[in-house]
Amino acid sequence: AACPGGDDGTIISTARLNRTVCIDVAKRLMTVESGMVLRDLIEAAAAAGLSLPHSPYWYGLTIGGLLGTGAHGSSLWGKGGAVHEYVVGMRIVTPAPASQGFAVVRELEADHPDLHAAKVSLGVLGVISQVTLTMQPLFKRSVTLVRRDDSDFQEQVAVWGDLHEFGDMTWLPHQGKVVYRRDDRVDVSTPGNGLYDLLLFHPSPTRGLIDARVAEERLQENGTDAARCEAAALQAATSERSSNGFTNDGVAFTGYPVVGYQHRIQASGACLNGPDDGLLTACAWDPRIRGSFYYNSGFSVALSKAPAFVADMKRLRDLNPDLFCAAVDARVGVLLRYIKASTAYLGKPEDSIDIDIVHYRSRTDGMPRAHADVVDEIEQMALHKYGGLPHWGKNRNLAFDGAIARYPKAREFLGVKDRYDPEGLFSSEWTDEVLGISGSPNIIKKGCAIEGLCVCSNDSHCAPEQGYFCRPGKVYKEARVCSFIKDY
């Protein structure tokens, strides 16, 4: 989010700001440097008998990075599932004139109003150096995954988050199923030492990753819908056989519920700890190998509108379920997590459901994927029909067009930004566009509208008969055409 522009930009690394500063067990407070990865934070907390109540599901993020983009787990209970809701102090270094030594170290305590801007900041206020989090006594969770028909999906989405503290759901549209995560804390005396080790985040043999990508590319370019659906069904079966990454004792899965301590259940990322074996194994997305290459579209819809949105997604699916195999089912389906209304200026303004779709992406610039319009249609419905919001760290340019206007406290955030960094040292062309300061995040160029607005060329891969959403030779004012559902 903070890529420097032009030839004058500088990247500041926080890789060595990775220590625990202090842990106050009595007050349940933990102060860490901003470059500490989530894995190290939750393990250090557990060693002191404490738990970070919520976190994202991947523990390779730094605390500064996950705060900067508003990363979260899933919960409507208490303060909710966003990590920034548990920030009660922050040290941030901001620019200053020469008379002040070119920098000011700002200490923001829990009652400081600027903390509401700093705890979700996109990196535009300055450099976060330390963060203080309020913790809870170490606790256990009990997890059961329940697979059901999706006939009542729209009714369940409205209530599941109130029923279970860490509940989420994964929709498998082509199969017509929903996997409900029944996930609640239990007494620490409850037997079990379960572990969450998601297969997607596990180190894998490099040769297998490369072969899998080659097969995926062939399916995209020359495969039939039937073949893509067969591959998606195989992927789902593999995930189910691996118990979706859960084991009852860290080794074997013997059945639900899986009971374990918070730091062993809340997040995973075994490939972060993978062996140094000369790339015989790797994370699936490791850029040093030609393995998996995919995109994560993330956006949210107000919880009050979620049932209608889910009903629209199902209506879209029912028009042609086979199209969803390549577009959605081939990865992890549609993940839905609950987000509580936030105190952060750039946090969610109301209780919401967050939607994550992970999908294939070509390495050829501008080349769309098979049935790309399916995911685009879902995203357009969320953003345009239901007034949704793109995730700050998971979306493409066009999703941010006008999004800042949907944050009631945006003006307050920009006021803090002007005080902390009046020269815009920590801003870039992109952040100015996204925050509505200057320019537009949309991209206008020849080709299919993968990144933003477009002028379509006559390239065969933009042909409308293939189902893509750009028509040759025409300039579109908005990248939402060839709509399946035309009531918005």
Side-chain angles (χ1 to χ4, degrees):
C3 293
D7 298 323
D8 300 324
T10 299
I11 294 176
I12 299 173
S13 172
T14 59
R16 296 185 182 180
L17 280 175
N18 60 356
R19 298 169 299 175
T20 299
V21 178
C22 66
I23 300 177
D24 188 327
V25 176
K27 294 183 178 179
R28 299 174 186 167
L29 296 176
M30 183 172 183
T31 301
V32 299
E33 293 177 330
S34 62
M36 175 177 272
V37 294
L38 178 61
R39 173 200 61 193
D40 297 340
L41 187 154
I42 62 179
E43 288 181 355
L50 299 174
S51 291
L52 178 65
H54 296 277
S55 71
Y57 296 174
W58 158 249
Y59 62 39
L61 300 168
T62 65
I63 186 65
L66 68 86
L67 291 178
T69 54
H72 54 82
S74 179
S75 187
L76 295 174
W77 292 31
K79 294 182 178 181
V83 179
H84 56 259
E85 294 304 313
Y86 301 89
V87 174
V88 293
M90 186 179 290
R91 179 178 291 178
I92 183 168
V93 184
T94 62
S99 59
Q100 294 178 282
F102 299 103
V104 171
V105 179
R106 300 176 185 265
E107 298 274 0
L108 305 181
E109 302 297 335
D111 58 352
H112 198 299
D114 291 352
L115 192 60
H116 297 312
K119 60 189 182 182
V120 181
S121 69
L122 307 187
V124 300
L125 302 185
V127 179
I128 297 172
S129 61
Q130 289 184 13
V131 176
T132 300
L133 298 152
T134 181
M135 312 294 279
Q136 294 179 1
L138 185 63
F139 62 88
K140 281 186 170 182
R141 285 161 63 171
S142 173
V143 183
T144 298
L145 299 186
V146 181
R147 188 183 180 96
R148 296 179 185 168
D149 183 271
D150 69 2
S151 57
D152 64 343
F153 183 21
Q154 59 266 44
E155 289 83 16
Q156 289 294 329
V157 73
V159 300
W160 192 254
D162 290 323
L163 297 176
H164 301 286
E165 183 175 3
F166 305 95
D168 67 22
M169 50 189 65
T170 301
W171 183 42
L172 304 171
H174 184 260
Q175 298 181 41
K177 301 293 183 181
V178 180
V179 179
Y180 294 92
R181 180 166 172 153
R182 184 188 296 148
D183 190 347
D184 296 285
R185 71 176 69 200
V186 293
D187 191 272
V188 292
S189 64
T190 307
N193 192 32
L195 179 70
Y196 180 46
D197 188 9
L198 187 63
L199 194 62
L200 177 66
F201 298 157
H202 209 266
S204 301
T206 299
R207 183 72 258 171
L209 293 173
I210 294 172
D211 290 345
R213 175 63 185 190
V214 170
E216 192 175 29
E217 288 174 347
R218 286 173 181 163
L219 268 180
Q220 282 283 322
E221 295 167 10
N222 303 309
T224 63
D225 287 338
R228 295 180 187 120
C229 288
E230 183 179 350
L234 179 62
Q235 171 71 23
T238 301
S239 180
E240 192 168 2
R241 280 197 304 271
S242 70
S243 62
N244 295 279
F246 286 102
T247 56
N248 297 82
D249 57 2
V251 178
F253 175 75
T254 57
Y256 293 115
V258 172
V259 176
Y261 286 101
Q262 165 72 341
H263 66 289
R264 289 171 59 83
I265 296 291
Q266 68 189 108
S268 66
C271 65
L272 194 66
N273 313 324
D276 185 9
D277 56 10
L279 283 181
L280 290 176
T281 60
C283 293
W285 57 86
D286 193 313
R288 296 171 295 176
I289 65 172
R290 194 174 175 84
S292 184
F293 192 55
Y294 54 83
Y295 197 80
N296 188 171
S297 292
F299 43 90
S300 62
V301 170
L303 187 58
S304 60
K305 301 175 182 178
F309 171 70
V310 167
D312 264 350
M313 285 201 301
K314 289 175 62 179
R315 191 153 57 98
L316 178 65
R317 184 273 313 276
D318 292 343
L319 293 175
N320 193 337
D322 286 355
L323 302 188
F324 279 73
C325 292
V328 177
D329 287 67
R331 291 288 175 180
V332 294
V334 180
L335 174 63
L336 296 95
R337 292 179 290 168
Y338 293 93
I339 311 297
K340 193 166 184 176
S342 176
T343 56
Y345 293 155
L346 296 186
K348 304 299 180 188
E350 57 185 311
D351 291 355
S352 301
I353 192 82
D354 184 88
I355 299 98
D356 274 297
I357 304 176
V358 178
H359 51 76
Y360 171 93
R361 188 158 187 180
S362 172
R363 284 189 168 86
T364 302
D365 184 41
M367 176 67 74
R369 61 200 178 276
H371 304 307
D373 45 343
V374 170
V375 175
D376 291 307
E377 181 74 5
I378 293 172
E379 183 179 273
Q380 290 160 25
M381 284 195 301
L383 299 178
H384 297 286
K385 182 176 181 179
Y386 292 101
L389 294 167
H391 190 295
W392 289 117
K394 300 180 192 172
N395 222 300
R396 52 192 174 162
N397 283 32
L398 69 91
F400 293 99
D401 188 21
I404 192 65
R406 297 195 284 276
Y407 287 89
K409 297 289 187 178
R411 186 181 297 274
E412 285 86 343
F413 177 83
L414 294 176
V416 175
K417 179 183 181 301
D418 287 343
R419 285 191 285 109
Y420 279 32
D421 185 17
E423 301 295 325
L425 183 66
F426 286 90
S427 295
S428 66
E429 181 179 309
W430 186 83
T431 58
D432 282 349
E433 293 167 353
V434 165
L435 292 172
I437 296 170
S438 62
S440 167
N442 289 315
I443 298 170
I444 301 176
K445 66 178 184 179
K446 275 193 172 185
C448 286
I450 293 176
E451 302 299 345
L453 308 190
C454 69
V455 180
C456 265
S457 67
N458 289 319
D459 295 341
S460 60
H461 63 257
C462 280
E465 62 268 16
Q466 293 184 14
Y468 300 126
F469 49 92
C470 249
R471 300 191 189 281
K474 183 173 181 181
V475 178
Y476 290 104
K477 293 183 179 179
E478 293 187 59
R480 50 186 180 109
V481 297
C482 288
S483 177
F484 290 123
I485 298 176
K486 297 181 179 296
D487 56 355
Y488 66 96

